[in-house]
Amino acid sequence: MMRTLISMLIVVAAAMVGLCSVAPAASAREEPQIVGGWKPIKNVNDPHIQEIGRWAVSEHVKQASDGLVFSKVVSGEELIVAGTNYRLVIQATKGGGAGKSATYGAVVYEKVDKTRQLLSFNPAN
């Protein structure tokens, strides 16, 4: 009886450890994401990803006053922490719609409560 109880406790503890290493999925149809490393964003056309890119350009313009205009997120990675870090490659236009297009790298931290912080924004090489 004691061995059975100990075996059951070991199984439950192992299951709990496994659950602690997985971040919850954003929706029921998505697979859970493993915590602990940058992962490619599977769909950069997702409206939420495009909104984060648009927000990053807007925040950059508030700080730099350089008039960049967001075009689109072209690629990116995400890192699940207490929230999500997004490392994005963004296409933006200098001087408005008729200006020269360029790419920029941005890192955005989005907290669990959906508030955001622009960690970096630089021209891409």
Side-chain angles (χ1 to χ4, degrees), residues 2-116:
M2 185 62 105
R3 283 187 178 160
T4 303
L5 181 58
I6 291 172
S7 296
M8 290 175 64
L9 287 173
I10 290 171
V11 168
V12 169
M16 293 301 291
V17 168
L19 288 175
C20 291
S21 67
V22 175
S27 71
R29 67 179 193 274
E30 293 180 17
E31 294 179 23
Q33 297 183 355
I34 304 299
V35 177
W38 288 99
K39 307 282 188 224
I41 296 172
K42 291 180 182 177
N43 180 11
V44 295
N45 295 316
D46 180 289
H48 183 70
I49 300 302
Q50 292 297 316
E51 168 54 30
I52 292 169
R54 180 176 282 106
W55 179 88
V57 170
S58 174
E59 284 299 301
H60 166 75
V61 169
K62 286 179 189 177
Q63 297 170 14
S65 299
D66 61 5
L68 281 180
V69 176
F70 173 80
S71 296
K72 65 181 178 179
V73 174
V74 295
S75 65
E77 298 175 301
E78 59 187 357
L79 172 66
I80 308 298
V81 288
T84 305
N85 283 311
Y86 294 95
R87 190 163 49 192
L88 305 175
V89 176
I90 298 170
Q91 187 174 33
T93 306
K94 296 180 183 181
K100 183 178 178 185
S101 182
T103 56
Y104 299 85
V107 178
V108 175
Y109 172 54
E110 185 175 54
K111 297 178 185 176
V112 175
D113 67 3
K114 299 301 181 195
T115 58
R116 298 174 184 152

